[in-house]
Amino acid sequence: MLRIQAERLAGLQLDLEEYKASFQLTGPRLAAHAPTAVVLHPGPIIRGLELTAGVADGPQSAILEQITNGVAIRMAVVERALTSHETPGGKR
């Protein structure tokens, strides 16, 4: 899943019911189209709009793990970007 960025929707008139009917990840939609998929979402989740609570908290969801691991990954990337690392040949 991708997150809806509400700040980018400012001023737009959206029909939320139409959006949900077309794009919301629901249990039946997941079962019909990707019954063995692992559900990921970068957070924060807009429950009831992007996906249902049943999907977000369901057995196929790895959202909490993704969010938890994402913090550590971003910290490692920033550290790597800010720290000089030499390769075995002495090159940076």
Side-chain angles (χ1 to χ4, degrees), residues 76-91:
V77 169
V78 169
E79 180 182 2
R80 178 73 184 247
L82 298 176
T83 306
S84 174
H85 293 278
E86 291 193 13
T87 61
K91 298 179 183 178

Side-chain angles (χ1 to χ4, degrees), residues 19-42:
Y19 178 89
K20 290 193 298 188
S22 297
F23 301 109
Q24 182 184 59
L25 184 58
T26 64
R29 190 170 275 164
L30 181 60
H33 298 287
T36 62
V38 173
V39 178
L40 298 172
H41 188 292

Side-chain angles (χ1 to χ4, degrees), residues 4 15-24 29 49-50:
I4 293 175
D15 182 335
L16 295 181
E17 293 306 314
E18 182 180 321
Y19 178 89
K20 290 193 298 188
S22 297
F23 301 109
Q24 182 184 59
R29 190 170 275 164
L49 181 61
E50 297 170 321

